C-alpha cells in the first residue's frame, strides 16, 4: 500500500506540531488534523497557534494549505485515509475506580466510535500516538472488530519547549504491532529519520515503554530533588553534586537539575498510571517504589512553600510578592500541573499581594503583569518558579533598590548566583545550596 493520506485526531500540543513537521518532511502525503474543538482549529488556521514552540510557525507556514489541513470536518479527515493517528488527550481519570491515577481514555473512546461508524473504503492503520494504559490496543480492537483496521502503538516522546527539535531529530521512534503495517508507518518516518533509530516492538512493549520513559524521567528529578534536601541540611551544593554524579557516562548529565518539583501534563499522570498498573497487578512493593517518586515531588513543592513562609516569619499578609514564571518549564506557554499553581494558591491563602509575570504562560482567572515594568516596586520578595532566560537577565541590583527591605529572593530553579544575589543585599534562598 502506498500511503497517500494521513489524518490525526487531536490538534493539541502533540497533534499540531507533529503533523506540521511530518507534512514538511513528507511532501507527497496529505495530512489532515481533525479536532472537535472549532476554536482550536480556528487558532491553527489563523496563525494564533494554541501552542507556543520555537520555529513552529516556520513548519506551519511551509505546509498549511499545501499538504496540511486543520479541520473539524471528520469526513475530510477520514475519507480515503491510509493512516489515522490518535493524538487526543488522556488525562488522569477524575471519577470512579482509579480516580486520580488511572488514565481517562474516554477521548480515545469517542474517536474509536467515530471511526467505527464511518464507512471505510480501504484498509486503515490506526495509530495510538496518545499515551494510553497498557492493552488499550486490545480494547480498541474489541470495539472495532474490523479486519481492515490494524492498530499500532507509536508513542510520542517530544518535550514541550523543544518539540520541533525533538520531532526533527528524535532519539528513537517506537512502533509496536503487526510488522507489515509497522513498516508502512515507518516508511513515513524514514523520509527524515535514520532507519536505525526506528525500533519495532510488540504492541504492549510500545505502550508500556512510553509510561516507563516518563516515569524514569520523573524518578531522575525526584532523585536529585531528594539530594537537594540532604544538601540543605549539610551545606553541600546540589548543583555540584549533579555535575559530579552526572559526569559518570553511565549515569549521564541530563535531567539532574533540582527544581521546585516537576510539572507538566504528563510526567505526573504517566507515573501515576504506572503506579495504578502495579496496584492492579497486585505488585504492591513495585507500586510503593514508584509511589515514592511521586510523593517526593509533592514534598519538594511543599518544602519550598514552607521555606518562603517561614523565612518571612509567617507574616506574608499584604506583602507584595513577585512571582516569576507560571509555565511548568521554560520555552512553553503550558501551565498544566505547574508547581506555580499550587505555590500561588498557598501564597494567596497567606493573603500576600501577588504580582505574577511569565513571558508566555497564562493562568485562568488570575491577573498577570504583561512585562516586568514596575513589578519590583515596593515588593518584599521575588519567587522564581520557571527557568526562563529572561529572568537571568534582570537587573537585580535595580530591582533590589526598588524593593521593600528586607528583600527576599526564593529561587525555585537555582537559576541565579546565590553569591551575587547576597552581595546585592538579598536574603537569597536556593534549593540545596548554601
Ligand atoms: P491536548 O489537550 O493539547 O490536545 C488534545 C486535543 O484533542 C484537544 O485539542 C481536544 O479538543 C482534542 N480532542 C479531544 N477529543 C477528541 C475527539 N474525539 N476527536 C478529535 N479531537 C479530540 O493534549 P496533548 O498535550 O497534545 O496530548 C495528547 C496525548 O499525547 C496525550 O495522551 C499525552 O499524554 C500525549 N503526549 C503529550 C505530550 C506533550 O508534550 N503535551 C508529549 C508526548 C505525549
Ligand atoms: C516530558 C518528557 O520529557 C517527554 O519525553 C514526553 O514526551 C512528555 O513528557 C510527555 O509525555 O508529555 P515535558 O513534560 O514536556 O516532557 O517536559 P520535561 O522536559 O520532561 O520536564 C518536565 C518537568 O520536569 C518540568 O517541570 C521541568 O522543569 C522538570 N525538570 C526537568 C526538572 O525539574 N529537572 C530536570 O532536570 C528536568
Amino acid at each position: 500500500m502506498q500511503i497517500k493520506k494521513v489524518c490525526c485526531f487531536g490538534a493539541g500540543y502533540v497533534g499540531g506540531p507533529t503533523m506540521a513537521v511530518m507534512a514538511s518532511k513528507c511532501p507527497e502525503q496529505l495530512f489532515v488534523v481533525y479536532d472537535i474543538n472549532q476554536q482550536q482549529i480556528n487558532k491553527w488556521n489563523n496563525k494564533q497557534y494554541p501552542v507556543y514552540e520555537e520555529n513552529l510557525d516556520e513548519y506551519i507556514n511551509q505546509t498549511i494549505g499545501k499538504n496540511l489541513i486543520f479541520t473539524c470536518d471528520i469526513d475530510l479527515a477520514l475519507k480515503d485515509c491510509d493512516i489515522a493517528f490518535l493524538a487526543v488527550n488522556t488525562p488522569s481519570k477524575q471519577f470512579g475506580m482509579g480516580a486520580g491515577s488511572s488514565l481517562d481514555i474516554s477521548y480515545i473512546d469517542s474517536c474509536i466510535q467515530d471511526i467505527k461508524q464511518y464507512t471505510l473504503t480501504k484498509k486503515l492503520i490506526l495509530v495510538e500516538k496518545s499515551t494510553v494504559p497498557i492493552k488499550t490496543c486490545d480494547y480498541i480492537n474489541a470495539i472495532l472488530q474490523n479486519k481492515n483496521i490494524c492498530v499500532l502503538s507509536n508513542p510520542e516522546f517530544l518535550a514541550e519547549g523543544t518539540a520541533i527539535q525533538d520531532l526533527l531529530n528524535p532519539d528513537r521512534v517506537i512502533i509496536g504491532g503487526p510488522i507489515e503495517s509497522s513498516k508502512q508507518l515507518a516508511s513515513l518516518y524514514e523520509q527524515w529519520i535514520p532507519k536505525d533509530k526506528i525500533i519495532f516492538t510488540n504492541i504492549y512493549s510500545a505502550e508500556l515503554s512510553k509510561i516507563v520513559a516518563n516515569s524514569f524521567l520523573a524518578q531522575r528529578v525526584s532523585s536529585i530533588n531528594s539530594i537537594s534536601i540532604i544538601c540543605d541540611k549539610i551545606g553541600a551544593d546540589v548543583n555540584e553534586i549533579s555535575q559530579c554524579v552526572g559526569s559518570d557516562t553511565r549515569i549521564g548529565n541530563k535531567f539532574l537539575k533540582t527544581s521546585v518539583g516537576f510539572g507538566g501534563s504528563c510526567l505526573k499522570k504517566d507515573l501515576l498510571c504506572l503506579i495504578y498498573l502495579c496496584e492492579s497487578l497486585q505488585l504492591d512493593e513495585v507500586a510503593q517504589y514508584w509511589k515514592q517518586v511521586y510523593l517526593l515531588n509533592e514534598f519538594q513543592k511543599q518544602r519550598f512553600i514552607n521555606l518562603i513562609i517561614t523565612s518571612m516569619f509567617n507574616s506574608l499578609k499584604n506583602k507584595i510578592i513577585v512571582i516569576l514564571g507560571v509555565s511548568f518549564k521554560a520555552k512553553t506557554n503550558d501551565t498544566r500541573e505547574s508547581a506555580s499553581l499550587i505555590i500561588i494558591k498557598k501564597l494567596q491563602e497567606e493573603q500576600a499581594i501577588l504580582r505574577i509575570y511569565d513571558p508566555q504562560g497564562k493562568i485562568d482567572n488570575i491577573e498577570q503583569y504583561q512585562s516586568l515594568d514596575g513589578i519590583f516596586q515596593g515588593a518584599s520578595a521575588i519567587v522564581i518558579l520557571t527557568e526562563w532566560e529572561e529572568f537571568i537577565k534582570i537587573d537585580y541590583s535595580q530591582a533590589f533598590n526598588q524593593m521593600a527591605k528586607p528583600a527576599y529572593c526564593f529561587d525555585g530553579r537555582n537559576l541565579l548566583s546565590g553569591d551575587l544575589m547576597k552581595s546585592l543585599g538579598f536574603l537569597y534562598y536556593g534549593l540545596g545550596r548554601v
Side-chain angles (χ1 to χ4, degrees), residues 8-18 33-38 40-41 44 50-51 53 71 74 86-91 103-104 106-112 114 129-132 155-161 163 210-211 214 264-267 269-270 328-329 332 334 336:
C8 176
F9 284 70
Y13 279 87
V14 170
T18 306
V33 191
Y34 163 74
D35 204 292
I36 44 171
N37 182 338
Q38 183 72 57
Q40 184 88 342
I41 291 298
W44 286 108
V51 171
E53 283 293 339
T71 183
I74 192 157
L86 299 176
V88 296
N89 33 333
T90 51
L103 296 185
D104 177 355
S106 57
Y107 301 96
I108 296 273
D109 246 331
S110 62
C111 299
I112 302 305
D114 285 343
K129 176 134 305 273
S130 298
T131 305
V132 291
E156 183 50 60
F157 293 96
L158 69 80
E160 288 178 31
K210 173 65 200 180
I211 303 283
N214 273 357
S265 65
C266 293
L267 253 51
K269 88 170 162 70
D270 295 349
F328 78 97
K329 62 187 275 198
T332 175
D334 197 345
R336 289 180 287 183

Side-chain angles (χ1 to χ4, degrees), residues 260-292:
V260 62
F262 59 77
S265 65
C266 293
L267 253 51
K268 176 176 148 189
K269 88 170 162 70
D270 295 349
L271 173 63
L272 290 170
C273 174
L274 181 64
I275 296 166
Y276 183 73
L277 173 70
C278 298
E279 283 168 354
S280 44
L281 296 170
Q282 269 123 43
L283 300 172
D284 291 343
E285 288 77 5
V286 190
Q288 286 307 319
Y289 173 77
W290 288 106
K291 191 151 197 180
Q292 206 51 42

